[in-house]
Amino acid sequence: ASLLNCENSVNINIKQIVNHDLATNIKPGIGGLVGALSYHQRTDKSRVLAAFANCTNYGNLSIENGTYQEGDTTGYIQNNIGGCLGIQFLNNYTTFENIVNLGNITVNARFLTQTANIAGVVAWCYSKAGTSLHNYGNITWNSKDIDVVRIGGVIGLLPKDNTNGSFASHLYNHGDIKVNDDIKINGKFLVAGCVAEHEDEVTLGKISNCENNGNITIDADMNDNDSVFRIAGIISYSRAETSDLVNNGNITISSRLYNADANAYMLCVAGVVAYKGTKAITNAKNTGDITFSGSIETSSGATTAVKDACRLNLGGLLGFGNGVCGSELYNEGDITIDQVK
C-alpha cells in the first residue's frame, strides 16, 4: 500500500486540547496531511506502507491554546506539530520523498511541563527522514511556559536509532521562523532552519545536503530554569556526521536571558550548527548575517563559577564545537554584536 500524490488545501485551527487523568506518556501528532504515519509491519515481516511521496500541504495550521492536563498529571506529553506530518515512524524500506509544505504554522499556546516539536514538514521523524523535503511556510511561536521546545524549518526532532542510525538529506527551508513573547524554559530551547535536534550518537546517522533560505528572528525574553539555548541556520544540535550544508538566512536575536545558571554557557548561536560534537562536519557554508543584542543575567544567588560560565558562544559556522573536526568550511556572513551585558 502507498500514499501518493496527496494534497491538503484547507486550514486547520485547533482551539484547545485537554487531557484528563493522563498517567502515561503520549506523543500526539498534528499535521496538515497526516497526524501520525507508521509503516505498521505485519507479523510475517512484510511492510504494509511501501511509500509516502509526492504530497503537498497548502493549508495553514494554528494552535490557539495548546494542550494541558487535568486530574492525574503524572503522564508527560510530547506535542508534535508539523506542516505536513506530526509524527513519521517509518522503517528503512519505506520510500519517503518529495513532501512539500506551503502553509504557515502559528502557535499561540501554553504548554505546561511538556515538550513541543514544531516543524514545517515533519515534527518528529524517526530513523529515515527521506529525501527532498521542502518547507515554504512561515513558523511563528508565541508561547510561554514549556520544558522543551524544538522548532525546525523542515524537521523538529530526528531521534536516535541505535540499530540503524537516523538520516536526513536534501532538506530545503524557505520559510521564516519567528519567536516572540516572554518564555520560561525548563530544559531546551532549540531553533534551526532545517533540523532542530539530531539525537544520534557519534557512530550512527548523518545529515547532508541541506539548505536554508529563511530568516530566524528571536525577539523574546527567556527565563532560564536549568536550560540550554541553541539557535542555528541549519542544525541546532548534532553529534553525528554532517556534510554539504548551506545557510543563506539571517539570524537576529534580541533577547534577555535571565535567571541563568551553569548551563547557560550553552547559549550557542551559529550560521550552520549551533552545537556540534565529535563527528566531522564537511563542506559547509554560511552567507547569512547574524545580529545579537541582549543580555545574559545570572540568578541572584549564582556563584562566581556560575557567573563565569554564563557566556555567549557565537560563530559564523559553529557556535560550540566539542571535539569536532571539519574541512571546507566557509563563512561570508557579517556578525554584529550590539551588546552583551
Side-chain angles (χ1 to χ4, degrees):
S2 299
L3 290 172
L4 304 174
N5 305 311
C6 303
E7 291 186 359
N8 172 58
S9 57
V10 300
N11 298 328
I12 299 174
N13 182 19
I14 297 178
K15 299 287 187 179
Q16 180 73 73
I17 303 172
V18 181
N19 294 287
H20 294 276
D21 294 323
L22 180 66
T24 59
N25 300 334
I26 63 170
K27 294 185 176 75
I30 301 170
L33 293 169
V34 180
L37 182 68
S38 173
Y39 64 90
H40 190 64
Q41 184 168 276
R42 288 193 182 102
T43 55
D44 64 1
K45 306 302 181 183
S46 63
R47 58 187 185 275
V48 174
L49 184 64
F52 182 72
N54 307 323
C55 298
T56 303
N57 175 59
Y58 295 94
N60 298 325
L61 176 59
S62 62
I63 312 293
E64 290 195 14
N65 293 305
T67 64
Y68 69 93
Q69 297 163 248
E70 291 183 349
D72 188 339
T73 60
T74 58
Y76 192 83
I77 304 174
Q78 184 182 91
N79 303 274
N80 299 283
I81 303 165
C84 294
L85 295 95
I87 297 174
Q88 182 263 68
F89 193 92
L90 300 177
N91 59 18
N92 290 326
Y93 302 101
T94 302
T95 300
F96 181 63
E97 62 185 15
N98 299 327
I99 311 299
V100 180
N101 176 58
L102 298 170
N104 298 323
I105 300 174
T106 303
V107 180
N108 299 309
R110 194 176 188 192
F111 299 88
L112 294 172
T113 63
Q114 297 174 27
T115 292
N117 300 317
I118 316 293
V121 178
V122 53
W124 193 91
C125 191
Y126 182 76
S127 188
K128 183 181 180 182
T131 61
S132 191
L133 309 182
H134 302 258
N135 176 58
Y136 293 88
N138 298 324
I139 300 174
T140 303
W141 173 271
N142 302 307
S143 186
K144 292 186 180 294
D145 298 344
I146 191 167
D147 282 359
V148 176
V149 58
R150 303 178 181 95
I151 304 174
V154 182
I155 298 173
L157 172 63
L158 189 61
K160 63 183 176 182
D161 180 342
N162 292 327
T163 302
N164 301 306
S166 54
F167 297 83
S169 66
H170 297 89
L171 311 179
Y172 305 96
N173 178 57
H174 301 275
D176 294 337
I177 299 174
K178 180 175 286 189
V179 176
N180 303 307
D181 219 329
D182 187 352
I183 306 171
K184 182 178 181 180
I185 305 294
N186 299 306
K188 296 179 181 178
F189 178 82
L190 310 177
V191 180
C194 287
V195 180
E197 182 170 13
H198 185 201
E199 283 188 331
D200 249 343
E201 302 298 328
V202 297
T203 57
L204 296 170
K206 182 178 181 179
I207 295 179
S208 62
N209 299 97
C210 300
E211 181 176 320
N212 174 55
N213 296 301
N215 298 321
I216 297 174
T217 302
I218 312 294
D219 186 10
D221 289 342
M222 293 177 282
N223 186 344
D224 170 29
N225 184 15
D226 194 21
S227 304
V228 292
F229 300 83
R230 297 162 183 156
I231 299 107
I234 301 294
I235 309 168
S236 293
Y237 174 88
S238 175
R239 295 180 62 199
E241 182 180 353
T242 53
S243 66
D244 303 301
L245 313 175
V246 178
N247 176 58
N248 299 312
N250 299 325
I251 299 174
T252 303
I253 301 175
S254 304
S255 299
R256 170 179 170 247
L257 175 63
Y258 59 100
N259 287 338
D261 62 11
N263 278 334
Y265 81 96
M266 290 301 180
L267 175 56
C268 303
V269 182
V272 180
V273 183
Y275 181 99
K276 182 72 182 74
T278 313
K279 209 69 173 180
I281 176 171
T282 59
N283 192 25
K285 182 179 181 180
N286 174 59
T287 66
D289 298 335
I290 301 174
T291 302
F292 182 91
S293 61
S295 62
I296 305 173
E297 304 169 16
T298 56
S299 59
S300 58
T303 64
T304 300
V306 168
K307 293 179 179 179
D308 291 341
C310 293
R311 61 182 182 270
L312 169 67
N313 300 298
L314 187 152
L317 294 164
L318 303 178
F320 188 93
N322 187 6
V324 66
C325 58
S327 63
E328 299 179 83
L329 309 178
Y330 309 94
N331 177 56
E332 297 178 1
D334 294 333
I335 297 176
T336 303
I337 300 177
D338 288 340
Q339 63 176 348
V340 179
K341 296 181 180 179

